[in-house]
Structures are given as C-alpha cells and as structure tokens.
Amino acid sequence: MEILRYAVYRFGTMLLTLLVVSVMVFAIINLPPGDYLSNQIAELRASGQSAGVAKAEFLRSEYSLDRPLYQQYLIWVGFMPGPHGFSGLIQGNYGWSFEFDQPVADIVGDTLWLTVLVNLAAVLFVYLVALPLGVIAAARSRTWVDYTSAFVGYLGLATPNFLLALILFYYGHKYFDLPIGGLMDPIYEGEPMSWDKVKSILIHLIVPTFVIGTSGAAAMMQRLRANLLDELGKPYVETAVAKGMAPARMLTKYPLRMAFNPFVADIGNLLPSMVSGSVLVSVVLGLQTIGPTLLTALKTQDLFLSAFVLMFVALLTLIGTMISDVLLVLLDPRIRYEGRET
C-alpha cells in the first residue's frame, strides 16, 4: 500500500509537471515571429492570389490563431471552448497540420507506436549490453577484460550515430542480407498487423536498435563500472571479504544494489534522449518514426504538429522519470523512507 500511495503521488506530480511543460512548449513555439499561415498569407499577397489569402484567413479564424496567445493555449489544451466547443488535447483533438493539410492524429498515428517500439528496443539493448559489461569490467578491474570493455565503450561514444548507420547499412546488407531503410517492407505499410508484418518489423529493427542504442550502452556501461568500483572500495566490502564471504555473493548482495541507483535513475533521461537523438538516424535510415516529422514541423513552423510531438517527448520523459523513481523506492530502503516522509 505504501508503494501504491507513492506511485499515485508521483502520478499526480507528473500531471502537474506536464501542464507546466505544455505552457512552456506553446510559448516557446510562438516566440519566433509569424507562423505557417501568416507566412503563407504574406507569400500569397505578394503573388496576388486573393483566393488563397481568403482560405488562409479562414484557417486562422477556424483554429483560433487570430485570438490572444493565452486564449490560443487554453483552446489548444481544451480548457476553453473554441469555434467548435471544447476540442483540445484533453478531448483527444491534436489539431491540424497546415504543412501536410490533414489532422495531426492522422500524421502521427502510425509513427507514434513505431517510435515507441524502436526506442523500447534500443533501451532493452542498452541494458542488456551495459549491465553485464559494466559489472564484469568492475569485477575484473585493470585486466584485459576491463581494458577491452573500456575500448569498446569509448569507441561507441566517439562514433557518430549517422556514420555508424551508414556503415551498418552497407555491410549489413552485403554480408547478412539485412534490409536497407524503413521499419518494414513497403508491401506491409498501411496493412493490418499479421505474423509476416511482425517478422518484417523485427528484421528491420536490427540495425536501428544497434545504431540508436550503441552510444547509450557505452555511456551506461562506463557509469555502472565507475559506481560499482566506488562501492567495491568501501570498508564494508573489505570486511565481507575478510570474513570469507564468497566474491559472487558479496558482489550481488550489497555493492551491485547500491551501484544500481544511478543506473535505474537514468531511465527517465534515456527514452527522450533516444527519441531526440535519433532524428538524424531516422532521416539517414528512412525510419517511419516521429523524428523526421518533428524536423519538418519545426522548419515550417507548423504549430500544432510540432507542439504535439514535443508534448509526446515530454510525456516520455515524465513517464520514464516516474518509473525510475518507483523502482528506486523498491531498490533502496533509504529512498523509501524519504518517500514515506513526504
């Protein structure tokens, strides 16, 4: 029950934080002068296309862009009625994309779950690689195992993701016949889910997962190694060794648990950093994720599309942070005590 109360408390703070983030996102997007429609109106007037100007003016009124900024925000979120009543984010209406001339929900519908799938696969790869290598490197400190792990880690950190993507593109297709680009074969795009489509997605995930997860796994491995070495140098470890405790049991009972704290806390930063850091990789690999969509929306000042994508990334950050906080409470009794006090 105690952990449940803490989870509910963290969920409430997450919602409040998301509300504050929505204000900041909407304000920052509106900082540059003009927007998609005002720029389009200026171009149409310069070319003398009065019909196009009338349509753009109608869209400005239709989506409340002719109102004060605070009213635009309240209508966008759904706290205030617009031309069609209460129809904002909390009502499930994500707005209209002026660049693509269709609802935001239709544009991001397929890319959202593919983005989550790619980044969850990358996170799983990060932990499956970083956990054993970090522990082994710390347990075998200053040996060839440690030096080899460090070399692999520094190589992963130093290699740009887009360059690694191009290399794996070429050699993966040449020697292993891996597919080039995309997250599924073109014949399955827009088709309902089937076993053949699942197999196609899994095969296409191999290269993106490795590319997006490499730098994160390298950084996580080095951090876990450093934390574990710090714990192994503390007096209680020396006492346990002097009393004859088996090395494997001694390592897993206390030092590894204490070294896990920053390892688990990184969950909150890992998901959004991978989403934002995979934009260039998505362009290079031709992935149908939300990264290229965000890039296009920001370049064209497509207000509702860019705002929704940024809110989605913020939501991933807050969900990851909430998960890491709850796991830390389960992992470390001291944090549980602090949570009880609050």
Side-chain angles (χ1 to χ4, degrees):
M1 288 299 296
E2 188 173 316
I3 186 63
L4 181 60
R5 284 198 301 270
Y6 181 75
V8 171
Y9 164 76
R10 286 295 291 113
F11 182 75
T13 58
M14 183 188 78
L15 293 180
L16 291 176
T17 306
L18 192 63
L19 181 63
V20 174
V21 169
S22 70
V23 175
M24 296 177 63
V25 164
F26 198 81
I28 291 172
I29 289 178
N30 281 279
L31 283 179
D35 53 47
Y36 183 90
L37 288 178
S38 60
N39 295 337
Q40 188 181 56
I41 290 172
E43 292 176 3
L44 292 172
R45 282 176 176 165
S47 59
Q49 300 181 36
S50 56
V53 172
K55 179 183 177 182
E57 292 285 5
F58 169 76
L59 288 175
R60 283 185 62 83
S61 175
E62 182 76 3
Y63 292 98
S64 307
L65 297 180
D66 55 345
R67 300 195 186 189
L69 188 61
Y70 77 93
Q71 292 187 12
Q72 294 181 36
Y73 167 77
L74 293 175
I75 294 172
W76 172 63
V77 177
F79 293 152
M80 178 179 174
H84 304 285
F86 289 94
S87 182
L89 290 180
I90 59 178
Q91 286 84 26
N93 182 10
Y94 305 145
W96 185 269
S97 170
F98 304 112
E99 171 67 16
F100 297 98
D101 198 26
Q102 56 182 310
V104 170
D106 293 346
I107 298 171
V108 302
D110 291 332
T111 60
L112 278 183
W113 75 267
L114 288 173
T115 301
V116 173
L117 177 64
V118 169
N119 287 279
L120 284 179
V123 169
L124 185 62
F125 172 82
V126 166
Y127 281 95
L128 289 177
V129 171
L131 177 58
L133 289 182
V135 172
I136 292 172
R140 298 288 184 267
S141 178
R142 298 181 183 177
T143 64
W144 68 270
V145 176
D146 185 19
Y147 298 140
T148 303
S149 299
F151 174 76
V152 172
Y154 290 132
L155 189 64
L157 287 172
T159 305
N161 283 351
F162 71 90
L163 178 60
L164 183 61
L166 292 174
I167 293 173
L168 291 180
F169 239 171
Y170 177 76
Y171 288 105
H173 182 70
K174 182 177 180 180
Y175 294 107
F176 301 102
D177 198 29
L178 293 177
I180 296 178
L183 285 173
M184 66 185 76
D185 291 328
I187 59 174
Y188 297 117
E189 293 182 5
E191 296 295 321
M193 192 60 66
S194 64
W195 176 242
D196 290 333
K197 184 174 181 178
V198 170
K199 288 193 296 183
S200 177
I201 293 174
L202 292 177
I203 294 173
H204 281 75
L205 271 177
I206 295 175
V207 173
T209 299
F210 190 85
V211 171
I212 297 173
T214 299
S215 59
M220 193 78 76
M221 181 189 70
Q222 294 294 334
R223 195 173 301 117
L224 179 60
R225 174 189 176 275
N227 293 337
L228 192 52
L229 281 176
D230 181 60
E231 289 296 325
L232 289 174
K234 291 184 176 179
Y236 75 87
V237 175
E238 298 177 2
T239 303
V241 172
K243 290 186 174 182
M245 181 179 288
R249 183 168 180 268
M250 180 274 299
L251 180 68
T252 56
K253 188 170 179 60
Y254 295 113
L256 190 57
R257 286 184 62 188
M258 296 300 103
F260 263 171
N261 284 9
F263 195 72
V264 173
D266 278 341
I267 296 175
N269 299 321
L270 201 56
L271 279 173
S273 65
M274 285 189 170
V275 173
S276 58
S278 63
V279 173
L280 187 56
V281 174
S282 298
V283 173
V284 172
L285 294 177
L287 305 180
Q288 300 96 332
T289 61
I290 210 166
T293 304
L294 174 60
L295 189 60
T296 302
L298 292 175
K299 288 194 299 183
T300 59
Q301 292 183 286
D302 197 344
L303 171 64
F304 297 118
L305 180 56
S306 56
F308 174 78
V309 175
L310 292 175
M311 286 296 295
F312 173 71
V313 175
L315 181 62
L316 284 182
T317 305
L318 294 172
I319 290 175
T321 304
M322 178 181 169
I323 292 173
S324 65
D325 285 350
V326 173
L327 289 178
L328 283 173
V329 168
L330 294 173
L331 185 67
D332 193 335
R334 296 170 299 178
I335 299 176
R336 184 184 300 122
Y337 176 80
E338 293 295 329
R340 183 164 57 241
E341 290 295 313
T342 56

